[in-house]
Amino acid sequence: MVAMSAGPRPVENGFPDGLRVPLVVVGAALALLMAWCVLALPAAGQSGGPQVVAQSQELLVNDLARATADSIGDVAGDLSTAGALYTVHPDPSPAGTLAAFTRSIPQALGLALVHRSSGVLLAGTGEPVPVESLPSKDVDRITVNLVRDQSGATVVLTTAPLPGTQWLVLVTTGLKIPATTLSGSPAEALLLTTPDGQVVKSRGSFDPEYQRLVTTASANAVTAAGSVVGEESTGPVVDGRRTTPIAVYAPILTGDPARPLGLNLVLVGSAPAHGAPQTPVETEWVAAALAAAVLITLVLIGFGFVLPLRRLRGEALGGHHRRRYRLREATIVSAALRDEIIPVRRGRISARTLVIAAVAPLLVCSAVIGVVARETVPTVPDLVVQGERGLAEVTAGALRDQLSATLSDLRTFATRANGEVASLKPALDNLIAQNNRYRSVYVTDAAGSVQVTAGRAPLRTTERPPAGSGLHQQNTAGRIPVLYASTPLPDHSHVLIGELDVTKLSSILRRSAGNGKLVDSGLRTLASADGYRAFDMLTDQALRQSVTDALGGVGRPGTDQIDGEWYVVAAATVTGAPSTDPLRWTVVLQQPLTTLPLPDNVVRRYVLFAALAAGALALLLLGWYHLCFVRPLRRLSVAALGLAQGDLKTVIYPERLNEIGTLSECLDAARRQRIPTAAPSVPMLV
């Protein structure tokens, strides 16, 4: 055995070259991960309660707020279209002008015609319009404001300049809360509030004790949608348990770009004070399994790899205790240093195999935990399922309002469409510009031939238009669904047709979470929140059954497995208006359970993170040891074999300044000592 104690000791670097450095660094990181699992996983499993219920209602309230904004914006579109028609057949008298606008805006509570510069009231009809509440009479575009009428009620005041005149048209309309199911828990009331918390309209039972919560929600709603939770266990008693009050809010945004109107939609209700706790085993087994795998990995590397190599290094530097090694490379290097015969490899393990086998338990454990977490189906409270039904109803209601408004637009347009058909071109262009629900609007003759058009080229095939006015679906196959509204013009020889933009219908479906579809009575897809092919059939039995139940008048939301993934499924029919009832269209929503704000999903994400972090640390440990120690050690064992076989010429250089480098220097010192010394020369005597 070659001892190097007499000479200078080889230099060895610290981080990241020491044999113990990876074990300490990765071991500390794994210990922190285990501590996080022990503390965070049980806490996540016991979370829930009011906050989860409130978050599950945020999408519903946000969709309701958008539907409210759409109903307010429809008045502005009607005003614009009526103004464009006025330019076709202007009436010089204020009374005649106001009468034309009255026919164009049936939802108006009151209308007024005002002189822009003087503010003098020229004509009025319906309820008195609060002209004095108009912020500014210097109006060059359509504006929407909240004002109070003479009775003190809050109304919407829409103002539009009349082209070619110095007149302003003022329209007041009432506030409307879109219809949706209020199951009593968590929803008790839907409120329209001002930023200071004043309730201007309500639907449902509103407990005045919640006013402080409503004020907070109204103030927060100025910036974005969200929810607030009141003091725990201060709400009413439901099923013998005290509940916690919640308020979910969203601002009403109008215009393009959207701006706050100064009105908020607030859902007030109550939720269970405590969520259903998870069983501790569901989280504790993860921490226990990872801890066991971490311990096995660290022990195998520490005692099977690090300790033998450090002992071999100690012997190479001058130790006198010869040891037997299970590592094949350590046995070869030890024999080469002592100039002994290298023993048979039987019963020994290579360094590479040992490190891989040591890290394997942690990698396998991480993979198993990740797979189990992905396959776990979260428990969905009934309140969340019912919230999905409400979301489907709101989406169906928004589509119904858009479809009804389409037919109403055309009917209103037709009342003023007198004279030559060609003269309607500017008004048709304005109708397209002010209402993005249309892809094209045109006038046909009795045979269906297009006479004048605005927007894109018509998709509808030429055929005799349907009698009367209504909404229609022309095709059940093809590249694009042809959906349109039609109404006859006063001359009874021409028909006004407006084709619906399927992209607009899809944008309403995209408001809801998950994947929403609009299907006809034959279960064919007409529009979808995601990419789709027109008239794709619903093939999944759960979706088909949900649509069938909705068409039968019994909506049954629930959870179902679709293509290997679990969803909350709910459906609602686009009915409730005479124009939409004959269509028998249905909205069906499917939202993945993994996207819901549930405690089970929080635990699932935490477990997936722990599995991913443990697997990444295991790979880091494997790569660190393999690159810095295993590969240099294997090359050193090859050099040791060559030395044992008599190769004294190949210099053995240290690759890194660590324990393996020290062994390389010791082995090279042994090589140099075995080089035979030349005999001294004898002088020749003359």
Side-chain angles (χ1 to χ4, degrees):
M1 186 74 172
V2 177
M4 298 189 64
S5 57
R9 298 177 66 87
V11 178
E12 295 179 359
N13 290 336
F15 184 88
D17 283 324
L19 266 171
R20 292 174 292 188
V21 170
L23 200 65
V24 173
V25 172
V26 178
L30 288 169
L32 291 175
L33 179 63
M34 293 303 100
W36 178 83
C37 289
V38 171
L39 297 176
L41 290 183
Q46 296 175 1
S47 64
Q51 193 64 43
V52 169
V53 175
Q55 290 177 358
S56 69
Q57 302 298 309
E58 288 181 10
L59 282 173
L60 173 64
V61 174
N62 199 37
D63 213 1
L64 285 169
R66 290 178 177 177
T68 304
D70 287 344
S71 65
I72 295 173
D74 285 342
V75 178
D78 293 343
L79 258 179
S80 178
T81 302
L85 286 170
Y86 175 83
T87 61
V88 178
H89 301 288
D91 191 323
S93 67
T97 299
L98 198 60
F101 277 89
T102 302
R103 293 192 298 268
S104 300
I105 310 172
Q107 67 269 43
L109 299 176
L111 291 95
L113 195 64
V114 177
H115 197 278
R116 181 184 302 186
S117 58
S118 63
V120 175
L121 179 64
L122 302 176
T125 184
E127 298 182 3
V129 176
V131 179
E132 67 282 356
S133 299
L134 185 64
S136 174
K137 295 180 177 61
D138 186 16
V139 177
D140 59 357
R141 58 183 178 84
I142 297 178
T143 61
V144 180
N145 298 281
L146 286 180
V147 298
R148 292 186 181 276
D149 60 15
Q150 292 183 347
S151 65
T154 301
V155 294
V156 180
L157 177 63
T158 307
T159 308
L162 195 57
T165 70
Q166 288 294 314
W167 297 345
L168 296 177
V169 180
L170 281 67
V171 181
T172 56
T173 50
L175 294 171
K176 182 181 69 172
I177 299 177
T180 186
T181 301
L182 293 178
S183 59
S185 180
E188 294 180 354
L190 281 169
L191 313 174
L192 286 175
T193 67
T194 58
D196 60 359
Q198 182 179 0
V199 179
V200 299
K201 192 174 185 62
S202 64
R203 186 162 67 86
S205 176
F206 170 52
D207 190 344
E209 294 183 1
Y210 287 4
Q211 183 59 52
R212 181 181 300 178
L213 198 63
V214 171
T215 302
T216 302
S218 301
N220 294 344
V222 174
T223 56
S227 59
V228 291
V229 177
E231 296 182 7
E232 188 172 327
S233 301
T234 58
V237 176
V238 178
D239 296 332
R241 294 188 302 172
R242 181 68 67 176
T243 59
T244 297
I246 63 172
V248 188
Y249 54 84
I252 308 295
L253 305 176
T254 59
D256 187 18
R259 293 181 297 272
L261 180 62
L263 197 65
N264 310 309
L265 184 67
V266 181
L267 180 149
V268 179
S270 59
H274 301 283
Q278 302 288 322
T279 55
V281 177
E282 294 181 359
T283 55
E284 287 185 354
W285 77 266
V286 175
L290 280 177
V294 167
L295 185 62
I296 292 173
T297 295
L298 297 181
V299 167
L300 285 177
I301 290 183
F303 288 94
F305 186 78
V306 175
L307 184 60
L309 290 181
R310 288 191 60 82
R311 287 176 174 175
L312 179 59
R313 167 185 171 276
E315 294 181 25
L317 291 176
H320 300 288
H321 298 286
R322 181 180 179 183
R323 301 178 182 274
R324 298 184 59 185
Y325 300 99
R326 289 293 181 186
L327 277 179
R328 182 184 304 158
E329 291 83 357
T331 302
I332 294 172
V333 173
S334 176
L337 287 171
R338 296 176 177 275
D339 198 13
E340 297 177 349
I341 298 175
I342 297 176
V344 181
R345 297 182 179 182
R346 187 174 54 235
R348 290 175 174 82
I349 185 172
S350 69
R352 176 187 294 172
T353 303
L354 176 67
V355 172
I356 293 176
V359 175
L362 188 52
L363 288 174
V364 172
C365 181
S366 301
V368 170
I369 290 175
V371 171
V372 172
R374 278 187 56 84
E375 297 299 325
T376 300
V377 180
T379 302
V380 185
D382 185 63
L383 291 176
V384 177
V385 176
Q386 296 302 322
E388 190 72 10
R389 180 185 67 173
L391 199 58
E393 291 177 351
V394 171
T395 305
L399 286 169
R400 179 185 61 247
D401 293 344
Q402 287 291 317
L403 295 171
S404 299
T406 299
L407 189 56
S408 177
D409 288 346
L410 299 187
R411 286 171 174 170
T412 301
F413 190 101
T415 61
R416 293 281 293 172
N418 296 315
E420 293 294 331
V421 172
S423 66
L424 299 177
K425 173 65 175 173
L428 291 175
D429 290 335
N430 181 270
L431 182 61
I432 283 285
Q434 296 297 326
N435 298 277
N436 60 2
R437 65 173 69 99
Y438 303 105
R439 70 176 311 278
S440 61
V441 180
Y442 48 91
V443 177
T444 71
D445 58 19
S449 298
V450 176
Q451 303 297 302
V452 59
T453 182
R456 288 173 282 178
L459 291 174
R460 179 179 169 275
T461 57
T462 301
E463 62 181 19
R464 188 176 185 86
S469 61
L471 293 163
H472 312 282
Q473 175 185 339
Q474 186 183 50
N475 58 343
T476 57
R479 188 173 58 89
I480 299 176
V482 180
L483 316 173
Y484 67 97
S486 66
T487 190
L489 294 183
D491 61 7
H492 299 291
S493 61
H494 293 87
V495 177
L496 179 63
I497 294 178
E499 290 188 5
L500 293 168
D501 190 349
V502 178
T503 304
K504 173 61 178 178
L505 300 180
S506 298
S507 69
I508 297 175
L509 295 170
R510 278 192 289 272
R511 294 177 183 176
S512 306
N515 183 19
K517 288 183 173 64
L518 175 66
V519 299
D520 61 14
S521 58
L523 304 183
R524 294 175 291 261
T525 303
L526 302 177
S528 176
D530 295 335
Y532 79 109
R533 291 189 305 174
F535 305 110
D536 271 349
M537 293 290 296
L538 289 183
T539 57
D540 187 83
Q541 183 58 35
L543 297 179
R544 295 175 65 89
Q545 187 63 47
S546 182
V547 172
T548 302
D549 291 342
L551 288 173
V554 183
R556 296 188 180 92
T559 58
D560 289 285
Q561 192 174 23
I562 302 174
D563 295 332
E565 186 173 357
W566 283 88
Y567 293 85
V568 179
V569 177
T573 56
V574 186
T575 55
S579 58
T580 60
D581 288 352
L583 296 174
R584 292 180 58 81
W585 289 352
T586 306
V587 171
V588 57
L589 300 182
Q590 54 181 107
Q591 183 173 1
L593 300 190
T594 54
T595 63
L596 296 173
L598 302 173
D600 283 4
N601 283 333
V602 177
V603 173
R604 179 177 176 272
R605 287 192 292 268
Y606 282 11
V607 170
L608 286 174
F609 168 77
L612 181 63
L617 289 172
L619 292 175
L620 173 63
L621 190 66
L622 175 63
W624 200 339
Y625 270 112
H626 186 264
L627 294 176
C628 296
F629 302 102
V630 173
R631 292 179 63 182
L633 180 62
R634 288 172 62 84
R635 286 190 285 267
L636 181 61
S637 66
V638 172
L641 281 173
L643 179 61
Q645 294 171 2
D647 182 7
L648 302 179
K649 295 181 179 180
T650 303
V651 179
I652 304 173
Y653 294 101
E655 295 186 23
R656 307 179 70 92
L657 298 180
N658 53 24
E659 290 86 345
I660 307 302
T662 298
L663 290 174
S664 300
E665 294 188 36
C666 292
L667 198 60
D668 193 66
R671 178 191 66 82
R672 293 195 303 271
Q673 288 184 6
R674 297 172 191 174
I675 296 176
T677 305
S681 60
V682 180
M684 187 180 255
L685 296 178
V686 180

